[in-house]
Amino acid sequence: METAHPSMLDLLLETHIGLERQGPGSVEVIKQALEFLKPLDQFSKIADLGCGTGTQTLLLAKYLSGNITGLDIFPKFIDKLNENARNGNLASRVTGITGSMENLPFQKNSLDLIWSEGAIDNIGFEKGLSHWHDFLKKGGFVAVTCPSWLTKEQPTVVQKFWTDAGSRWDSISDNIETMQKCGYQFIASFALPEQCWTENYFIPREKAINNLLEKYAGNETMIEYAAQNRYETELYSRYSQYYGYIFYIGRVI
Ligand code: SAM
């Protein structure tokens, strides 16, 4: 139930529930990553971890013919994914479940692909990849986006903001090494274009925040929440040469 005194978490959910995406990304980038995953077929079992409301989960269902389970920690996001899957006549192949990326509910060696956009940094690249490895079949793929440092120089203001937000980052070369250490063959990595952050995420999020500022006019939590989000956007516009989202694709050896 909505409250006149929302918490930061309430506001985060209320902002994002109506957005197309809950983080940077695009259809083009999804298609680019799928080019590396050609052997998948209608028998493939796929998990989309940290799926949010599942726009990319439904796109995966459009481009791939297997069965897809979307998993997210927030039940409201999963309800929305299941509603959209039903409305799109995809419920026979797409199922949303509430759960944790750190404790997957799948059988060991059962998945052909683990997909995850914008979520692994919440638990750490190494922790995620090493836990997920056991649930993939031999030859199964992992395709994951993670914010990463693009340069040796790491501006302290950016580092502090994201560390305080619980997001853990490394350089691209460190992440590739981590992927190999966790038992994957490294297949490819590529950077997400800037519009994945700006047009596809920050701009719609700012609109949603403006609506909430009206709805919760004068509420201090709301004002602080809006300021934090705007600071995140400002950091990106000032420092995007130092960091970005990278798509990493690997295969279980
Ligand atoms: N994949 C979606 C997208 O690209 O639009 C959502 C990305 S959003 C930045 C990160 C998602 O990860 C959120 O939906 C959040 O609820 C989910 N998440 C964070 N920690 C999680 C965890 N430990 N287990 C499952 N989901 C988690």
Side-chain angles (χ1 to χ4, degrees), residues 84-194:
N84 289 342
R86 279 193 300 275
N87 292 341
N89 291 323
L90 287 165
S92 59
R93 293 200 295 118
V94 176
T95 312
I97 57 171
T98 304
S100 170
M101 297 186 291
E102 292 180 84
N103 185 17
L104 294 185
F106 306 111
Q107 284 192 339
K108 298 272 167 86
N109 303 309
S110 67
L111 299 172
D112 297 281
L113 167 63
I114 289 182
W115 186 275
S116 182
E117 287 187 57
I120 198 169
D121 55 297
N122 289 293
I123 61 171
F125 197 73
E126 179 164 5
K127 190 171 181 187
L129 285 192
S130 77
H131 176 57
W132 302 351
H133 182 274
D134 291 353
F135 297 90
L136 285 162
K137 295 174 186 167
K138 193 164 188 250
F141 291 98
V142 69
V144 52
T145 69
C146 187
S148 311
W149 293 111
L150 307 177
T151 53
K152 277 210 165 63
E153 195 186 339
Q154 302 174 0
T156 318
V157 277
V158 179
Q159 215 174 32
K160 177 164 176 20
F161 177 83
W162 283 106
T163 307
D164 289 351
S167 177
R168 284 159 251 184
W169 301 2
D170 268 312
S171 68
I172 302 172
S173 56
D174 282 349
N175 281 338
I176 292 172
E177 210 174 288
T178 298
M179 181 174 253
Q180 290 164 331
K181 200 174 86 187
C182 291
Y184 301 85
Q185 175 198 356
F186 167 69
I187 294 182
S189 68
F190 60 90
L192 273 62
E194 232 171 73

Side-chain angles (χ1 to χ4, degrees), residues 232-251:
E232 179 198 334
T233 307
E234 188 196 326
L235 282 180
Y236 184 75
S237 71
R238 281 170 49 200
Y239 295 103
S240 63
Q241 71 270 35
Y242 297 99
Y243 65 96
Y245 261 99
I246 302 294
F247 226 124
Y248 296 94
I249 295 157
R251 193 167 197 186

Side-chain angles (χ1 to χ4, degrees), residues 1-17 76 212 216 221 225:
M1 213 170 54
E2 279 174 29
T3 156
H5 304 288
S7 65
M8 286 284 191
L9 179 59
D10 293 331
L11 293 170
L12 178 110
L13 291 174
E14 202 175 342
T15 306
H16 287 88
I17 195 93
K76 279 186 181 173
L212 292 182
Y216 297 113
T221 313
Y225 172 78

Side-chain angles (χ1 to χ4, degrees), residues 58 74 172 200:
L58 298 178
F74 291 126
I172 302 172
N200 297 357

